[in-house]
Amino acid sequence: MKLSKRWLLDYTALSFEDRAFAEDMSISGSKVETVEHEGAELENIVVGQVVSIVPHPDSDHMFVCMVNTGGAEAIQIVTGAQNVKQGDFVPVALSPSKIAGGKTIKAGKLRGVLSNGMLCSLDELGLTQNDFPYQTEDGIFILGEDCGKTIGQDIRESLNFNETIIDFEITSNRPDCLSVIGLAREVAATYETELNLAEPPLPLGADAPQAKLSVEIQNPDLCYRYAGAVVCDVKIAPSPRWLRERLRASGVRPINNIVDITNFVMLEYGQPMHAFDLRYVDEGKIIVRNAREGESITTLDGTKRPLEPSMLVIADANKPVAVAGVMGGEYSGIMDDTTTIVFESACFNGLRTRLTAQKLGMRTEASGRYEKELDPASCLPCLYRALELVAQLGAGTLDGGIIDEFPTPKPSRTIHFDAAWINRFIGFSCPEKTQRAILEKLGCKVEGDTVTPPSFRGDLNEPCDLAEEVARIYGYGKIESTPLTGTADGQLTAEQKLRRKVGEILRGQGLTEAMTYSFHSKKNYDKLLLPADHWLRNGVTITNPLGEETSFMRTCPVPSLLEVLGRNYAARNKAAWIYELSKVFRPKETIGTGRDAQLPDEQIKITLGLYGAGADYNLLQGVCETLLEGCGINDYEKKPATESTFLHPGRAAEWFVDGEEIVMIGEVMPQVAENFGIGERCWAAVIQLKLLLEKGNPNPKYKHLPKYPAVTRDLAIVCGKATPAAALSKAIREGAGKLLESLELFDVYEGAQVGAGKKSVAYSLVLRSKETTLTDEQADAAVKRAVKALGAIGAEIRS
């Protein structure tokens, strides 16, 4: 919201330095973005008067002027403009000077004749014809009667083109500050000055019957209030200079007196207004209703837009004439031959206005204000103010009375006021008298222990809201530092603790954490060589992605892992050992659409990836085993992986706990690695964090040191070459039972001595009893049970 300093001073008398003002207002809750000065880039441009003008001796389209700029002698300036004549007052850029755009003007010769400066046009001053309608677009700016004509005066002072403009950032909960009056109220409260706010007078004849216009609100849930008036004998003309200056400083282009009045009132009060040409309102009826199926409207910008029944429109007896709260229709605007108009001051539902503007793709100044939920109580004062300006500018006459349809006025709100509670809540000592004065300055009514907020402060609903108002106006800098009191009961969840532990274990083994986006391209699943009907391809597609590469919520973390390895390989890193706690999104069965559709399941996977010196399957397996052991999981079963398309067949495995897969590990298929730009062998693993949490015990319990000695036995086993070592280990553990303390594979041999298709596997068994010293007979019995269990899977003791 751009605020003109002169306009602000109309409402509160205040003298301030710009930088200090910006800091004070920001601290009190109205953040100042920038402070700008009109015409700041103009330098050494003054008012001059043309003393004489003669044709250029060597040009048929240029003239040599002698111009009085307040110096001892007139200066000579060459110009090509055709609209300059003797006696004209003009802007003169002396040598050296700067014009709009930062261009420097210096003395020089034009066709052999010395020119000691330049006569300026509107464009060269940073102005347009909208600012001075009587001036032609081409040619030198001839100063009119509404400009200062003191010779030698700085041109910015002559044109009042020296306004200070303060740009505020207004939060969405403070639509009242999207107005000059709202910001003036904040300034008056911050600096403890008087707010000079005069209520617009009731227009003469406002109570008279209205014969030319009728208003009907068919949907009061979307249109809270609609006030209107008819103005006849309208005289369309440029607005006076003071009004054009106010609009220009606020970033609004002046157009004509009627349109400028609606814009002026919108800026002053924050309430959008619209003016209709009564000729195009069929039967003089204004009907606020929902659009009908198949209806469309051509808006003021000349675009035909289809309407939906959910959209609110302003219609006449036959057709829509405006999209409520967004933009008027093609024939609702004010034209040069308009003689009778309808002023509209209405309040519409903010959410519906926003959705309508989004669907039509036309967010406007009006919709941006309405979507923040404006105050219906401001509709009538705004209409009165517009009619006051019409009379002041001689732009027309009120024809009949004012219509005000207000089906459901909102009841006033009350909030309990307790000064002591506010002091405890904020942590300061602000006197109750000061608190009451602050709230009253902000427009609240304070009676006893009850505060009634003004209708335009929809953000004040609870005592904590009052506390915030008191604190920001009283001054945050006055709040003394105090030590924190109370106790903090917050703690990490079990999952958060586990995630930290996982990171510590993996980093301790030399891996580096990576962080990737949760969305990627569907093409990554082609790189993984997944079949077209693979279930991992069924995921959540983003409706408004940044691009195709970020259009799909990942269902598998492996592509993100391989992309990181590929980038490291491309950067010529000799080795990369990485891990990530990756979130994946698994869609549920779709139920409903829009807001009723079910959100996908979000699961966290631990992904590991290795390549380079020292990296191989055994290293990655050791990392995973250490991780599971650190999380309290020691009993798991390993099986060859059979279904993975991106892991090498015969070099991949799946680990299970209680029948559920907890780890998938293996070497990445060479073709997959190549697809991701990895030019050497690499290995990957995916670990289920959920099962680590459910099956593990990250907090190991203390165990007493054993009292009794251990007995060791070695077993050399001959089995089929394809028999997994995991199956042998499982058989030994099940056969030996509770006496088996640990089991270690220490040798594998293949050769002629064990026969073709066979291998010899050697294990070391450590046996121990918690209750007594084991005898040889007890140890041998345990080994015999293990040998029997091995025989059941086709393995035998090597002779």
Side-chain angles (χ1 to χ4, degrees):
M1 171 71 189
K2 292 185 175 182
L3 177 65
S4 157
K5 182 176 179 179
R6 293 195 186 106
W7 203 348
L8 169 65
L9 296 181
D10 288 346
Y11 294 99
T12 181
L14 184 67
S15 177
F16 58 81
E17 190 272 326
D18 294 343
R19 184 179 181 86
F21 177 82
E23 292 177 353
D24 292 342
M25 292 305 298
S26 295
I27 290 173
S28 71
S30 302
K31 182 181 177 184
V32 175
E33 287 286 293
T34 59
V35 177
E36 303 172 1
H37 301 277
E38 283 186 328
E41 59 185 348
L42 303 182
E43 294 181 9
N44 204 20
I45 303 177
V46 300
V47 175
Q49 185 177 24
V50 179
V51 177
S52 66
I53 180 170
V54 297
H56 192 290
D58 294 322
S59 173
D60 56 1
H61 68 277
M62 300 180 76
F63 301 89
V64 179
C65 303
M66 299 302 294
V67 184
N68 180 8
T69 60
E73 297 181 356
I75 63 172
Q76 178 174 287
I77 294 178
V78 178
T79 180
Q82 306 295 310
N83 66 324
V84 180
K85 61 183 183 298
Q86 183 177 342
D88 284 343
F89 289 85
V90 293
V92 182
L94 303 176
S95 177
S97 60
K98 285 188 178 180
I99 61 175
K103 184 178 179 181
T104 300
I105 302 300
K106 294 182 179 180
K109 289 186 177 181
L110 294 176
R111 294 284 183 93
V113 176
L114 179 65
S115 179
N116 290 303
M118 182 178 76
L119 306 185
C120 299
S121 65
L122 281 172
D123 183 62
E124 288 158 344
L125 297 176
L127 298 168
T128 68
Q129 192 177 9
N130 298 102
D131 300 307
F132 293 92
Y134 56 80
Q135 173 62 37
T136 60
E137 282 194 55
D138 299 327
I140 300 304
F141 178 22
I142 309 300
L143 304 186
E145 294 303 320
D146 58 352
C147 301
K149 295 183 179 179
T150 301
I151 295 175
Q153 183 182 25
D154 187 293
I155 194 63
R156 294 185 301 165
E157 295 180 11
S158 169
L159 305 179
N160 266 0
F161 189 46
N162 55 357
E163 175 65 293
T164 298
I165 303 167
I166 307 142
D167 193 359
F168 288 86
E169 178 188 341
I170 307 300
T171 55
S172 59
N173 67 323
R174 293 297 308 274
D176 59 296
C177 288
L178 286 170
S179 66
V180 176
I181 291 175
L183 288 173
R185 185 180 291 108
E186 291 293 309
V187 171
T190 301
Y191 286 96
E192 300 183 9
T193 58
E194 289 298 320
L195 179 65
N196 305 315
L197 180 60
E199 293 291 331
L202 182 69
L204 293 176
D207 298 330
Q210 177 53 258
K212 294 184 177 180
L213 182 71
S214 66
V215 174
E216 177 188 357
I217 299 177
Q218 294 186 357
N219 191 338
D221 292 334
L222 299 185
C223 179
Y224 306 136
R225 190 174 192 177
Y226 194 102
V230 176
V231 175
C232 63
D233 300 328
V234 172
K235 302 174 183 62
I236 304 298
S239 298
R241 175 177 158 183
W242 68 266
L243 180 53
R244 300 196 307 267
E245 288 175 356
R246 290 283 195 269
L247 296 179
R248 181 185 68 213
S250 301
V252 177
R253 179 171 59 93
I255 297 175
N256 59 52
N257 51 1
I258 299 299
V259 176
D260 292 350
I261 285 172
T262 62
N263 287 331
F264 181 89
V265 173
M266 178 185 70
L267 294 169
E268 189 175 37
Y269 281 82
Q271 167 70 41
M273 292 191 66
H274 191 67
F276 298 97
D277 191 325
L278 188 61
R279 290 178 298 177
Y280 302 107
V281 180
D282 294 350
E283 301 179 19
K285 291 183 178 180
I286 293 290
I287 304 171
V288 187
R289 61 172 173 81
N290 288 77
R292 294 169 183 150
E293 195 69 47
E295 275 189 323
S296 62
I297 186 173
T298 300
T299 47
L300 280 170
D301 57 4
T303 304
K304 186 174 182 179
R305 304 180 187 275
L307 301 173
E308 298 178 8
S310 63
M311 300 176 180
L312 193 71
V313 298
I314 310 300
D316 58 21
N318 301 308
K319 64 185 183 304
V321 295
V323 182
V326 182
M327 185 180 284
E330 182 178 20
Y331 296 106
S332 71
I334 303 303
M335 306 175 189
D336 291 342
D337 61 346
T338 297
T339 58
T340 306
I341 63 171
V342 177
F343 269 129
E344 168 199 283
S345 179
C347 190
F348 305 108
N349 177 274
L351 177 60
R352 182 58 56 192
T353 302
R354 178 175 179 271
L355 293 174
T356 297
Q358 277 187 327
K359 288 180 180 179
L360 295 178
M362 49 184 298
R363 194 170 188 272
T364 61
E365 181 73 24
S367 70
R369 292 170 181 266
Y370 278 123
E371 68 185 29
K372 295 175 177 61
E373 285 291 340
L374 299 182
D375 176 22
S378 67
C379 291
L380 213 53
C382 287
L383 183 60
Y384 291 170
R385 176 61 166 153
L387 294 173
E388 180 185 23
L389 289 171
V390 167
Q392 182 179 339
L393 303 185
T397 306
L398 179 64
D399 189 354
I402 289 175
I403 296 176
D404 181 22
E405 291 294 321
F406 199 2
T408 53
K410 295 183 179 180
S412 59
R413 293 161 284 122
T414 59
I415 306 173
H416 178 69
F417 173 70
D418 184 343
W421 180 88
I422 289 177
N423 280 333
R424 291 194 304 272
F425 183 74
I426 298 297
F428 63 175
S429 298
C430 180
E432 180 176 344
K433 182 179 179 181
T434 303
Q435 293 187 28
R436 291 176 178 272
I438 288 172
L439 294 174
E440 289 172 351
K441 271 284 187 184
L442 293 171
C444 297
K445 185 178 181 181
V446 186
E447 296 178 328
D449 62 354
T450 300
V451 173
T452 304
S455 59
F456 56 80
R457 288 302 302 272
D459 59 316
L460 300 184
N461 298 287
E462 303 291 340
C464 57
D465 298 326
L466 300 182
E468 180 185 359
E469 296 300 293
V470 171
R472 70 183 182 87
I473 300 300
Y474 181 71
Y476 294 124
K478 297 179 182 179
I479 302 176
E480 295 182 1
S481 300
T482 56
L484 293 175
T485 59
T487 58
D489 298 325
Q491 58 183 347
L492 297 176
T493 65
E495 181 180 311
Q496 290 171 329
K497 291 178 181 177
L498 179 61
R499 292 175 64 173
R500 291 192 177 189
K501 188 174 187 68
V502 166
E504 290 171 0
I505 294 172
L506 294 176
R507 290 192 298 273
Q509 297 182 85
L511 278 75
T512 301
E513 184 174 10
M515 298 181 70
T516 61
Y517 291 119
S518 295
F519 37 75
H520 57 195
S521 171
K522 288 184 178 181
K523 294 178 182 178
N524 283 335
Y525 297 105
D526 296 331
K527 295 180 180 179
L528 285 185
L529 308 180
L530 294 184
D533 58 349
H534 198 281
W535 65 271
L536 285 176
R537 292 181 180 270
N538 178 29
V540 179
T541 301
I542 301 173
T543 56
N544 57 339
L546 298 174
E548 195 279 332
E549 294 299 318
T550 55
S551 62
F552 190 75
M553 302 303 293
R554 66 185 175 196
T555 55
C556 175
V558 175
S560 301
L561 173 86
L562 296 180
E563 284 182 338
V564 174
L565 292 180
R567 282 196 294 271
N568 276 273
Y569 184 81
R572 298 189 178 183
N573 288 337
K574 295 182 179 179
W577 299 6
I578 64 167
Y579 79 93
E580 181 183 14
L581 278 76
S582 315
K583 184 171 285 189
V584 297
F585 300 81
R586 302 286 170 79
K588 297 178 182 177
E589 182 180 352
T590 303
I591 301 176
T593 58
R595 294 187 178 183
D596 297 326
Q598 289 197 3
L599 295 175
D601 281 325
E602 299 182 20
Q603 304 173 13
I604 295 178
K605 311 287 186 182
I606 306 166
T607 52
L608 314 177
L610 313 173
Y611 81 79
D616 59 17
Y617 181 89
N618 290 330
L619 174 64
L620 186 57
Q621 178 178 245
V623 170
C624 294
E625 289 174 343
T626 302
L627 177 59
L628 265 59
E629 181 181 350
C631 295
I633 297 178
N634 297 294
D635 188 12
Y636 46 88
E637 182 181 1
K638 299 178 180 179
K639 294 182 180 180
T642 57
E643 296 185 0
S644 176
T645 61
F646 53 85
L647 294 182
H648 200 297
R651 299 178 188 171
E654 296 169 320
W655 301 0
F656 294 87
V657 173
D658 297 335
E660 296 184 76
E661 181 191 292
I662 190 170
V663 176
M664 181 174 65
I665 179 174
E667 181 179 346
V668 178
M669 286 276 288
Q671 182 59 53
V672 173
E674 182 180 338
N675 291 343
F676 284 92
I678 307 169
E680 60 178 275
R681 297 174 69 182
C682 60
W683 292 264
V686 179
I687 304 171
Q688 311 295 332
L689 183 74
K690 181 181 178 181
L691 288 181
L692 280 184
L693 184 62
E694 293 175 356
K695 306 294 184 180
N697 178 17
N699 300 312
K701 293 182 180 180
Y702 170 76
K703 291 183 179 181
H704 292 285
L705 293 174
K707 294 182 180 179
Y708 306 102
V711 176
T712 60
R713 294 287 189 271
D714 290 343
L715 281 179
I717 306 160
V718 176
C719 61
K721 188 175 181 179
T723 303
L728 300 174
S729 299
K730 182 179 179 182
I732 294 172
R733 292 183 183 278
E734 291 177 350
K738 294 182 179 179
L739 294 181
L740 181 63
E741 183 176 85
S742 65
L743 179 67
E744 181 181 357
L745 172 66
F746 66 86
D747 184 52
V748 178
Y749 171 76
E750 296 178 16
Q753 294 184 17
V754 295
K758 300 283 186 178
K759 65 181 177 181
S760 172
V761 182
Y763 284 95
S764 175
L765 289 69
V766 177
L767 305 166
R768 192 194 306 268
S769 171
K770 297 179 181 179
E771 301 171 353
T772 184
T773 301
L774 285 181
T775 64
D776 287 341
E777 291 77 10
Q778 290 173 316
D780 292 341
V783 172
K784 287 179 180 179
R785 292 194 301 271
V787 171
K788 184 177 180 181
L790 289 168
I793 61 172
E796 59 184 18
I797 297 298
R798 179 177 175 184
S799 58

